[in-house]
PDB file of all heavy atoms in Angstrom:
ATOM      1  N   ARG A 133      84.054  -3.921-100.481  1.00 96.00           N
ATOM      2  CA  ARG A 133      84.838  -4.459-101.672  1.00 96.00           C
ATOM      3  C   ARG A 133      86.119  -3.595-101.884  1.00 96.00           C
ATOM      4  O   ARG A 133      86.957  -4.088-102.539  1.00 96.00           O
ATOM      5  CB  ARG A 133      83.981  -4.680-102.825  1.00 96.00           C
ATOM      6  CG  ARG A 133      82.868  -5.710-102.678  1.00 96.00           C
ATOM      7  CD  ARG A 133      82.114  -5.857-103.912  1.00 96.00           C
ATOM      8  NE  ARG A 133      81.038  -6.912-103.807  1.00 96.00           N
ATOM      9  CZ  ARG A 133      80.191  -7.253-104.807  1.00 96.00           C
ATOM     10  NH1 ARG A 133      80.356  -6.703-106.025  1.00 96.00           N
ATOM     11  NH2 ARG A 133      79.328  -8.212-104.586  1.00 96.00           N
ATOM     12  N   ARG A 134      86.107  -2.410-101.631  1.00 97.00           N
ATOM     13  CA  ARG A 134      87.136  -1.477-102.070  1.00 97.00           C
ATOM     14  C   ARG A 134      88.215  -1.410-100.966  1.00 97.00           C
ATOM     15  O   ARG A 134      89.346  -1.009-101.280  1.00 97.00           O
ATOM     16  CB  ARG A 134      86.566  -0.057-102.400  1.00 97.00           C
ATOM     17  CG  ARG A 134      85.473  -0.099-103.326  1.00 97.00           C
ATOM     18  CD  ARG A 134      85.285   1.261-104.014  1.00 97.00           C
ATOM     19  NE  ARG A 134      86.239   1.539-105.047  1.00 97.00           N
ATOM     20  CZ  ARG A 134      86.113   2.291-106.034  1.00 97.00           C
ATOM     21  NH1 ARG A 134      84.919   2.976-106.188  1.00 97.00           N
ATOM     22  NH2 ARG A 134      87.073   2.562-106.909  1.00 97.00           N
ATOM     23  N   VAL A 135      87.878  -1.577 -99.678  1.00 98.00           N
ATOM     24  CA  VAL A 135      88.899  -1.433 -98.615  1.00 98.00           C
ATOM     25  C   VAL A 135      89.403  -2.798 -98.242  1.00 98.00           C
ATOM     26  O   VAL A 135      88.740  -3.670 -97.824  1.00 98.00           O
ATOM     27  CB  VAL A 135      88.145  -0.828 -97.383  1.00 98.00           C
ATOM     28  CG1 VAL A 135      89.100  -0.710 -96.198  1.00 98.00           C
ATOM     29  CG2 VAL A 135      87.460   0.509 -97.700  1.00 98.00           C
ATOM     30  N   ARG A 136      90.759  -2.799 -98.373  1.00 98.00           N
ATOM     31  CA  ARG A 136      91.536  -4.093 -98.221  1.00 98.00           C
ATOM     32  C   ARG A 136      91.980  -4.138 -96.760  1.00 98.00           C
ATOM     33  O   ARG A 136      92.101  -5.256 -96.165  1.00 98.00           O
ATOM     34  CB  ARG A 136      92.668  -4.188 -99.052  1.00 98.00           C
ATOM     35  CG  ARG A 136      92.229  -4.435-100.547  1.00 98.00           C
ATOM     36  CD  ARG A 136      91.759  -5.953-100.563  1.00 98.00           C
ATOM     37  NE  ARG A 136      91.492  -6.317-101.974  1.00 98.00           N
ATOM     38  CZ  ARG A 136      90.226  -6.339-102.500  1.00 98.00           C
ATOM     39  NH1 ARG A 136      89.237  -6.040-101.716  1.00 98.00           N
ATOM     40  NH2 ARG A 136      90.099  -6.874-103.775  1.00 98.00           N
ATOM     41  N   SER A 137      92.297  -2.920 -96.134  1.00 98.00           N
ATOM     42  CA  SER A 137      92.803  -3.037 -94.730  1.00 98.00           C
ATOM     43  C   SER A 137      92.679  -1.571 -94.132  1.00 98.00           C
ATOM     44  O   SER A 137      92.459  -0.644 -94.843  1.00 98.00           O
ATOM     45  CB  SER A 137      94.216  -3.431 -94.637  1.00 98.00           C
ATOM     46  OG  SER A 137      95.128  -2.523 -95.213  1.00 98.00           O
ATOM     47  N   LEU A 138      92.782  -1.489 -92.834  1.00 98.00           N
ATOM     48  CA  LEU A 138      92.671  -0.196 -92.069  1.00 98.00           C
ATOM     49  C   LEU A 138      93.815  -0.094 -91.029  1.00 98.00           C
ATOM     50  O   LEU A 138      94.050  -1.104 -90.399  1.00 98.00           O
ATOM     51  CB  LEU A 138      91.263  -0.121 -91.322  1.00 98.00           C
ATOM     52  CG  LEU A 138      89.980  -0.064 -92.219  1.00 98.00           C
ATOM     53  CD1 LEU A 138      88.736  -0.143 -91.297  1.00 98.00           C
ATOM     54  CD2 LEU A 138      90.010   1.221 -92.984  1.00 98.00           C
ATOM     55  N   ILE A 139      94.280   1.087 -90.944  1.00 98.00           N
ATOM     56  CA  ILE A 139      95.160   1.431 -89.816  1.00 98.00           C
ATOM     57  C   ILE A 139      94.405   2.703 -89.115  1.00 98.00           C
ATOM     58  O   ILE A 139      94.292   3.691 -89.688  1.00 98.00           O
ATOM     59  CB  ILE A 139      96.511   1.906 -90.321  1.00 98.00           C
ATOM     60  CG1 ILE A 139      97.199   0.772 -91.160  1.00 98.00           C
ATOM     61  CG2 ILE A 139      97.464   2.158 -89.044  1.00 98.00           C
ATOM     62  CD1 ILE A 139      97.173   1.041 -92.614  1.00 98.00           C
ATOM     63  N   LEU A 140      94.086   2.488 -87.898  1.00 98.00           N
ATOM     64  CA  LEU A 140      93.269   3.470 -87.184  1.00 98.00           C
ATOM     65  C   LEU A 140      94.149   4.040 -86.009  1.00 98.00           C
ATOM     66  O   LEU A 140      94.721   3.298 -85.288  1.00 98.00           O
ATOM     67  CB  LEU A 140      91.987   2.784 -86.563  1.00 98.00           C
ATOM     68  CG  LEU A 140      91.153   2.058 -87.682  1.00 98.00           C
ATOM     69  CD1 LEU A 140      90.027   1.378 -86.920  1.00 98.00           C
ATOM     70  CD2 LEU A 140      90.553   2.985 -88.733  1.00 98.00           C
ATOM     71  N   SER A 141      94.117   5.297 -85.978  1.00 98.00           N
ATOM     72  CA  SER A 141      95.001   5.991 -84.924  1.00 98.00           C
ATOM     73  C   SER A 141      94.095   7.086 -84.202  1.00 98.00           C
ATOM     74  O   SER A 141      93.567   7.926 -84.868  1.00 98.00           O
ATOM     75  CB  SER A 141      96.157   6.608 -85.633  1.00 98.00           C
ATOM     76  OG  SER A 141      96.921   7.331 -84.659  1.00 98.00           O
ATOM     77  N   ASN A 142      94.070   6.943 -82.885  1.00 96.00           N
ATOM     78  CA  ASN A 142      93.453   7.922 -81.969  1.00 96.00           C
ATOM     79  C   ASN A 142      92.053   8.292 -82.635  1.00 96.00           C
ATOM     80  O   ASN A 142      91.702   9.506 -82.826  1.00 96.00           O
ATOM     81  CB  ASN A 142      94.244   9.165 -81.916  1.00 96.00           C
ATOM     82  CG  ASN A 142      95.438   9.003 -81.106  1.00 96.00           C
ATOM     83  OD1 ASN A 142      95.616   7.997 -80.404  1.00 96.00           O
ATOM     84  ND2 ASN A 142      96.496   9.758 -81.379  1.00 96.00           N
ATOM     85  N   THR A 143      91.189   7.315 -82.825  1.00 97.00           N
ATOM     86  CA  THR A 143      89.869   7.555 -83.484  1.00 97.00           C
ATOM     87  C   THR A 143      88.696   7.087 -82.554  1.00 97.00           C
ATOM     88  O   THR A 143      88.898   6.666 -81.393  1.00 97.00           O
ATOM     89  CB  THR A 143      89.795   6.887 -84.836  1.00 97.00           C
ATOM     90  OG1 THR A 143      88.734   7.260 -85.535  1.00 97.00           O
ATOM     91  CG2 THR A 143      89.895   5.361 -84.852  1.00 97.00           C
ATOM     92  N   PHE A 144      87.509   6.922 -83.170  1.00 97.00           N
ATOM     93  CA  PHE A 144      86.329   6.703 -82.377  1.00 97.00           C
ATOM     94  C   PHE A 144      85.375   5.870 -83.330  1.00 97.00           C
ATOM     95  O   PHE A 144      85.496   5.775 -84.509  1.00 97.00           O
ATOM     96  CB  PHE A 144      85.687   7.962 -81.907  1.00 97.00           C
ATOM     97  CG  PHE A 144      85.558   9.035 -82.864  1.00 97.00           C
ATOM     98  CD1 PHE A 144      84.395   9.138 -83.683  1.00 97.00           C
ATOM     99  CD2 PHE A 144      86.573   9.913 -83.063  1.00 97.00           C
ATOM    100  CE1 PHE A 144      84.238  10.164 -84.632  1.00 97.00           C
ATOM    101  CE2 PHE A 144      86.441  10.979 -84.004  1.00 97.00           C
ATOM    102  CZ  PHE A 144      85.254  11.064 -84.773  1.00 97.00           C
ATOM    103  N   LEU A 145      84.294   5.520 -82.565  1.00 97.00           N
ATOM    104  CA  LEU A 145      83.211   4.649 -83.331  1.00 97.00           C
ATOM    105  C   LEU A 145      81.913   5.413 -83.563  1.00 97.00           C
ATOM    106  O   LEU A 145      81.185   5.024 -84.537  1.00 97.00           O
ATOM    107  CB  LEU A 145      82.880   3.385 -82.535  1.00 97.00           C
ATOM    108  CG  LEU A 145      84.037   2.364 -82.462  1.00 97.00           C
ATOM    109  CD1 LEU A 145      83.554   1.188 -81.524  1.00 97.00           C
ATOM    110  CD2 LEU A 145      84.330   1.810 -83.789  1.00 97.00           C
ATOM    111  N   ASP A 146      81.640   6.392 -82.720  1.00 96.00           N
ATOM    112  CA  ASP A 146      80.377   7.211 -82.971  1.00 96.00           C
ATOM    113  C   ASP A 146      80.632   8.695 -82.499  1.00 96.00           C
ATOM    114  O   ASP A 146      81.704   8.926 -81.873  1.00 96.00           O
ATOM    115  CB  ASP A 146      79.122   6.571 -82.182  1.00 96.00           C
ATOM    116  CG  ASP A 146      79.420   6.463 -80.654  1.00 96.00           C
ATOM    117  OD1 ASP A 146      79.476   7.547 -80.110  1.00 96.00           O
ATOM    118  OD2 ASP A 146      79.549   5.364 -80.133  1.00 96.00           O
ATOM    119  N   THR A 147      79.603   9.532 -82.852  1.00 96.00           N
ATOM    120  CA  THR A 147      79.878  10.929 -82.615  1.00 96.00           C
ATOM    121  C   THR A 147      79.022  11.479 -81.465  1.00 96.00           C
ATOM    122  O   THR A 147      78.869  12.648 -81.333  1.00 96.00           O
ATOM    123  CB  THR A 147      79.464  11.664 -83.905  1.00 96.00           C
ATOM    124  OG1 THR A 147      78.120  11.417 -84.236  1.00 96.00           O
ATOM    125  CG2 THR A 147      80.343  11.227 -85.079  1.00 96.00           C
TER     126      THR A 147
END
Side-chain angles (χ1 to χ4, degrees):
R133 294 183 179 180
R134 307 199 75 155
V135 179
R136 289 291 186 256
S137 70
L138 294 173
I139 306 103
L140 306 175
S141 179
N142 294 336
T143 189
F144 49 91
L145 292 175
D146 61 66
T147 60

